[in-house]
Amino acid sequence: MINLEERSQVAFGKPLAQIGDAQVCRLLQDLVREHCQTLPIMEGKRRLYYVSAEFLIGRLLINDLINLGLYDEVREQLAQAGHDLAAVDDQEVEPSLGNGGLGRLAACFMDSVATLGLPGDGVGLNYHYGLFHQRFVDNQQTALPDEWLGEQDCLEDEGKSFEVQFGDFSVVSHLYSIDVPGYHNGKRNRLRLFDLEGVDDSLVPDDSIDFDKTKVAKNLTLFLYPDDSDEDGRLLRVYQQYFMVSNAAQLIVSEAVERGSNLHDLPDYAVVQINDTHPTMIIPELIRILTQEHGIDFEEAVGIVRHMVAYTNHTILAEALEKWPLEYLAKVAPKIAKIIELLDQMQREEHDDPAVAIIKDGTVHMAHLAIHYGFSVNGVAALHTKILEETELHPFYELYPEKFSNKTNGITFRRWLMGCNPDLTSLVDKTIGTDWHRTADLTPLMAHVDDDEVLDGLVEAKGKAKARMREFLLTHQGVTVPEDAIIDVQVKRIHEYKRQQMLALYLIWKYLDIKNGNKPARPITVVFGGKAAPAYTIAQDIIHLILTLSSWIANDPDVAPYLQVIMIENYNVSAAERVIPAADISEQISLASKEASGTSNMKFMLNGAVTLCTLDGANVEIADLVGEDNIYTFGTSSREVERLYAEGAYDPQAYYHKPGIKLLVDFITNPAFMATGNEERLRRLHDDMAHKDWFMALLDLEEYIQVKERVYADYEDRGAWVRKALVNVAQAGTFSSDRTIAQYNEDIWHLVPQK
Ligand SMILES: *Cc1c(COP(=O)(O)O)cnc(C)c1O
């Protein structure tokens, strides 16, 4: 069917064997584009619009080839011509349209929505420079613009534009889209990204992400999450949010009308899922359009919108629950501010409780707006939803118990197993057949947990994945990982609640232990990766500690042969696809109650890593599925953590002064160590840990050290370990995003699947 040889001749006048990886990449991208364009767009009277500030889609080539059913054929033809698909894939620029788990979730969801044949699109913004590109200079993070747009981006011009009216000026948008083919179902949806007509890339210097934040009419779609440490930055975020939702709302209304809606029946034509609070202003914006542009009266418009917007909560961290001064909204979008005031009044007439007010002291609580005027609120893991219902959103749960539900997150197995781990995929295929490609049911593997052939196959697949990771780390940043090393990984955004600092303290402990002559049975390689928000000082300090420790250990000949610390530069989806398949240990050590779900925990499990975790987020569900013999848990329970916060009862000094802990924390500020790093950063981090430790790393540290030692010791019982790894793969099916999306559809969206 496909003939890459011929395509190569036509495009480059050369045989396939003689063109370079970059040219092969171009050929395949063209092939994918042509195939996508032959697929009909999914139709349905009622459509989903999944509105999100982020879509961390990663590279598209391999995932698209898999979904289009071209993967095996392409791989074979390339192999015959001496090309390796993975090397070709490395030529693709990764779109940088997200930040972390929330954006990656949106991307997995788009894949699953298309695969289940549901008519629904993602709607977001086309950021020219993404979040930022992370580079390490002097063991510190620097942030550079991440320029991903260019010849090979896969944006199609939809030729649609809308006008967006701000307080004292208006702008025009332009709509692009990226095809999202379903897995083997011959149809597609789209990721639809609005750009700003007249956006000015020259506002961004080459070597920094600082730009003039006041030139709103020219900068709106330059960056995701522009620095909001000053008022210009915060205002810009509000401008961006309104730009996103105004475009989304206009798109939704115009398409519903095209499909025959008279707008009084709009909920029969569209359901809007808002991914966290960033798109909340779509509620007043839809009301504005219905009332002011279509003459529907206010109460009816509110009723219409109340039946079509659903909200996903992603966090209970107070600083992440968005609140905007009403005056910002009044400046950016005065009509929207007015409507929010009316909605607030209406709500107060119904419920006289300040705890659920939308506007408090001139501040708009976006989540409250979404809960009152949406029809659904969901958490993203069982524990998280329970905390929302019982604690964080309890007053709302009392008012609207029927709106609340749990939808435990998931990941697409097309990318996170079939695409990133071909050797494990073929082992699974050989062992249980290929039904799991559709059903994600891997439990038939449970019949093989004592099957030596399968266990040996798993060791072999892990070995090959480790070889690919070693190659990646060597070319990406010039580090050599020992062949027989245990690979122990914590990759995710850098945040105090995720507690990378606790793993760093463990590494200090291990360093000192090895110095004292206790040599591990084999080399240990600990891999970190993650970006920190540029304005988040302590997170920058944590990166600095990790990088300084990494050099310190590498330069100590007594310890370096046994312990290695690597921090991946510019951790992104492509890096995740190299590292996760190679991992033996998955570090999920957030302070219990703080990680809403986590999704890297699911990716690791699916790829045969054993989880070392607190009972937080979806770790709780992983632990239930695999059983206590196949996971390592530790740490203070979420209930106890909540009590400590509520009573202000945690005192870090009491832990800091334990001799075993003080030694580790003080290592950070010992003069010889500080001389190799940045004194200000290291001192600040030391003092923060000793005196504040808001996320209680010291509370769980001693137990963490004990459990880690047990994990490393258990790893040496190779037979038992590999069995654990296989149980983890076998039980991962629950975490397919196809399951998650089927639940969203069943309980919230009610879309009719296209056969
Ligand atoms: C999956 C993923 C995340 C989310 O990781 P968590 O550990 O769940 O926070 C973040 N970044 C990238 C690139 C990912 O692929």
Side-chain angles (χ1 to χ4, degrees):
M1 259 223 320
I2 46 175
N3 187 339
L4 294 179
E5 196 54 64
E6 191 181 299
R7 284 173 173 267
S8 174
Q9 287 292 354
V10 171
F12 303 110
K14 284 189 195 166
L16 187 57
Q18 286 176 25
I19 62 174
D21 286 337
Q23 289 170 309
V24 178
C25 185
R26 286 289 292 278
L27 276 190
L28 297 182
Q29 287 183 314
D30 289 344
L31 174 81
V32 163
R33 180 168 305 185
E34 282 168 31
H35 272 257
C36 280
Q37 278 167 5
T38 65
L39 305 180
I41 291 173
M42 273 175 247
E43 283 174 31
K45 178 177 170 188
R46 183 172 161 92
R47 293 187 69 81
L48 163 71
Y49 295 86
Y50 191 91
V51 187
S52 176
E54 305 182 33
F55 289 92
L56 190 52
I57 53 182
R59 290 174 176 153
L60 296 172
L61 187 55
I62 287 187
N63 205 79
D64 284 352
L65 288 171
I66 290 173
N67 284 14
L68 293 166
L70 304 173
Y71 179 75
D72 291 332
E73 210 178 329
V74 163
R75 206 153 69 130
E76 221 157 88
Q77 290 188 21
L78 289 185
Q80 276 172 16
H83 291 290
D84 171 27
L85 183 52
V88 170
D89 182 52
D90 272 336
Q91 300 295 317
E92 187 183 342
V93 177
E94 175 172 334
S96 164
L97 299 172
N99 160 26
L102 173 153
R104 186 52 236 171
L105 183 79
C108 284
F109 279 8
M110 291 305 99
D111 188 76
S112 287
V113 168
T115 293
L116 296 189
L118 304 174
D121 293 331
V123 182
L125 296 182
N126 189 38
Y127 310 102
H128 289 219
Y129 298 98
L131 183 72
F132 63 86
H133 185 101
Q134 179 191 56
R135 188 156 297 159
F136 299 142
V137 178
D138 296 335
N139 284 341
Q140 303 186 52
Q141 169 178 292
T142 54
L144 301 175
D146 195 351
E147 205 175 335
W148 69 278
L149 290 169
E151 249 178 64
Q152 52 148 282
D153 64 56
C154 2
L155 296 173
E156 301 286 341
D157 186 343
E158 280 203 42
K160 275 191 190 177
S161 281
F162 297 107
E163 186 179 338
V164 175
Q165 179 70 53
F166 295 117
D168 40 20
F169 65 103
S170 68
V171 297
V172 174
S173 68
H174 199 97
L175 179 58
Y176 295 90
S177 61
I178 294 176
D179 286 322
V180 185
Y183 177 64
H184 291 194
N185 67 6
K187 297 194 184 59
R188 66 179 159 131
N189 287 324
R190 287 168 296 176
L191 172 55
R192 309 174 85 180
L193 301 173
F194 283 98
D195 206 339
L196 174 69
E197 194 91 42
V199 61
D200 184 358
D201 286 26
S202 73
L203 288 174
V204 178
D206 285 342
D207 57 350
S208 111
I209 58 170
D210 287 329
F211 63 101
D212 186 343
K213 288 184 268 188
T214 62
K215 293 215 164 94
V216 177
K218 291 176 182 290
N219 70 14
L220 268 177
T221 52
L222 290 177
F223 284 98
L224 168 63
Y225 302 141
D227 168 35
D228 64 350
S229 55
D230 61 19
E231 180 166 298
D232 285 340
R234 287 191 291 276
L235 270 169
L236 178 55
R237 287 204 188 188
V238 180
Y239 276 111
Q240 275 191 330
Q241 291 186 356
Y242 182 61
F243 180 72
M244 174 169 75
V245 301
S246 177
N247 278 300
Q250 294 184 66
L251 181 72
I252 291 165
V253 169
S254 67
E255 292 191 338
V257 169
E258 276 167 30
R259 287 199 302 284
S261 171
N262 62 21
L263 297 184
H264 300 278
D265 57 3
L266 190 56
D268 296 340
Y269 289 81
V271 56
V272 181
Q273 187 71 43
I274 61 174
N275 196 25
D276 217 333
T277 53
H278 317 109
T280 305
M281 278 189 280
I282 199 164
I283 291 171
E285 176 65 1
L286 281 165
I287 294 171
R288 182 193 69 78
I289 293 173
L290 293 176
T291 53
Q292 299 177 15
E293 293 181 10
H294 296 277
I296 294 178
D297 70 51
F298 190 79
E299 294 215 343
E300 187 191 349
V302 172
I304 292 169
V305 173
R306 259 192 167 152
H307 285 93
M308 57 185 288
V309 179
Y311 158 59
T312 302
N313 176 287
H314 282 273
T315 182
I316 58 166
L317 293 180
E319 74 267 24
L321 282 172
E322 286 189 302
K323 301 175 198 70
W324 294 119
L326 183 61
E327 62 182 294
Y328 284 15
L329 302 188
K331 178 172 165 62
V332 172
K335 292 176 178 170
I336 294 308
K338 268 265 149 50
I339 292 172
I340 292 174
E341 286 184 286
L342 291 173
L343 294 174
D344 178 56
Q345 268 168 31
M346 267 176 77
Q347 188 289 123
R348 280 171 198 277
E349 282 157 22
E350 286 172 42
H351 317 289
D352 180 25
D353 177 1
V356 301
I358 294 169
I359 303 177
K360 269 186 267 194
D361 304 327
T363 303
V364 182
H365 291 243
M366 305 310 275
H368 298 188
L369 179 58
I371 299 169
H372 286 300
Y373 292 96
F375 68 92
S376 160
V377 182
N378 76 280
V380 291
L383 174 66
H384 170 61
T385 302
K386 186 166 172 281
I387 292 172
L388 293 181
E389 291 177 354
E390 293 180 0
T391 317
E392 294 297 316
L393 298 178
H394 184 65
F396 294 93
Y397 182 62
E398 298 253 275
L399 293 180
Y400 314 113
E402 74 288 349
K403 287 191 188 183
F404 282 72
S405 74
N406 176 244
K407 300 287 170 283
T408 298
N409 281 169
I411 56 173
T412 166
F413 286 19
R414 269 79 62 188
R415 181 177 293 271
W416 294 111
L417 183 53
M418 294 158 77
C420 73
N421 201 339
D423 298 295
L424 182 53
T425 300
S426 34
L427 175 69
V428 176
D429 286 352
K430 212 172 73 189
T431 310
I432 63 169
T434 58
D435 282 358
W436 67 274
H437 295 190
R438 282 226 138 263
T439 63
D441 182 8
L442 294 164
T443 52
L445 287 171
M446 289 303 286
H448 298 272
V449 291
D450 296 310
D451 178 340
D452 284 338
E453 209 179 307
V454 175
L455 295 176
D456 290 348
L458 185 53
V459 172
E460 197 181 314
K462 187 60 81 181
K464 287 186 176 161
K466 286 185 181 183
R468 281 195 300 276
M469 182 195 76
R470 278 206 307 279
E471 161 96 29
F472 167 75
L473 289 173
L474 187 62
T475 51
H476 188 68
Q477 53 200 81
V479 290
T480 306
V481 177
E483 220 164 286
D484 58 340
I486 301 182
I487 307 297
D488 182 351
V489 186
Q490 186 180 25
V491 284
K492 46 186 78 245
R493 285 303 299 253
I494 310 299
H495 200 295
E496 288 163 278
Y497 85 80
K498 292 178 183 276
R499 298 201 293 191
Q500 282 94 352
Q501 71 275 29
M502 190 166 75
L503 177 46
L505 289 173
Y506 168 81
L507 289 168
I508 293 170
W509 181 87
K510 192 69 179 171
Y511 167 82
L512 296 172
D513 196 48
I514 295 171
K515 270 300 225 199
N516 284 332
N518 297 317
K519 301 193 162 56
R522 72 174 75 224
I524 297 165
T525 294
V526 174
V527 180
F528 291 92
K531 296 176 185 175
Y536 185 178
T537 306
I538 293 289
Q540 307 285 338
D541 296 344
I542 292 172
I543 291 180
H544 180 60
L545 171 62
I546 292 167
L547 290 169
T548 308
L549 261 180
S550 170
S551 330
W552 178 267
I553 292 172
N555 288 324
D556 186 327
D558 296 342
V559 180
Y562 306 98
L563 184 64
Q564 177 181 40
V565 178
I566 298 172
M567 173 109 194
I568 298 171
E569 194 170 46
N570 198 41
Y571 178 65
N572 59 7
V573 178
S574 318
E577 287 167 5
R578 293 288 178 273
V579 173
I580 290 172
D584 295 305
I585 300 165
S586 161
E587 298 271 354
Q588 307 298 337
I589 58 177
S590 55
L591 176 64
S593 80
K594 295 297 175 189
E595 184 75 88
S597 164
T599 49
S600 78
N601 46 3
M602 303 168 185
K603 301 168 196 165
F604 281 104
M605 174 194 194
L606 180 62
N607 282 277
V610 177
T611 309
L612 165 54
C613 67
T614 52
L615 285 173
D616 199 12
N619 301 345
V620 177
E621 288 155 79
I622 294 176
D624 285 346
L625 283 161
V626 300
E628 59 185 25
D629 291 344
N630 301 301
I631 192 166
Y632 295 87
T633 62
F634 72 97
T636 308
S637 70
S638 66
R639 199 171 282 276
E640 174 65 6
V641 169
E642 288 192 89
R643 186 191 69 80
L644 290 172
Y645 278 120
E647 297 174 9
Y650 175 61
D651 174 16
Q653 281 281 300
Y655 291 85
Y656 170 72
H657 285 290
K658 290 183 163 190
I661 293 182
K662 189 166 186 305
L663 179 74
L664 307 180
V665 179
D666 288 352
F667 184 91
I668 299 173
T669 48
N670 91 47
F673 184 72
M674 268 202 307
T676 69
N678 175 308
E679 196 174 319
E680 185 189 342
R681 286 200 181 282
L682 296 173
R683 268 195 203 290
R684 180 170 48 219
L685 183 58
H686 172 278
D687 293 352
D688 193 278
M689 284 194 202
H691 295 284
K692 276 212 218 118
D693 192 24
W694 184 247
F695 294 99
M696 307 180 189
L698 302 189
L699 174 66
D700 287 340
L701 181 60
E702 285 176 317
E703 194 188 350
Y704 179 54
I705 293 171
Q706 282 168 15
V707 178
K708 268 187 86 69
E709 288 303 289
R710 188 150 60 80
V711 174
Y712 289 154
D714 285 1
Y715 184 85
E716 296 309 320
D717 184 348
R718 297 300 297 134
W721 182 273
V722 180
R723 195 179 185 284
K724 288 184 214 293
L726 187 63
V727 172
N728 274 271
V729 181
Q731 297 295 340
T734 303
F735 300 112
S736 162
S737 47
D738 295 351
R739 182 272 308 153
T740 314
I741 289 301
Q743 291 176 335
Y744 273 91
N745 195 43
E746 178 80 21
D747 299 340
I748 303 174
W749 302 336
H750 310 299
L751 305 165
V752 182
Q754 302 292 290
K755 291 287 176 234

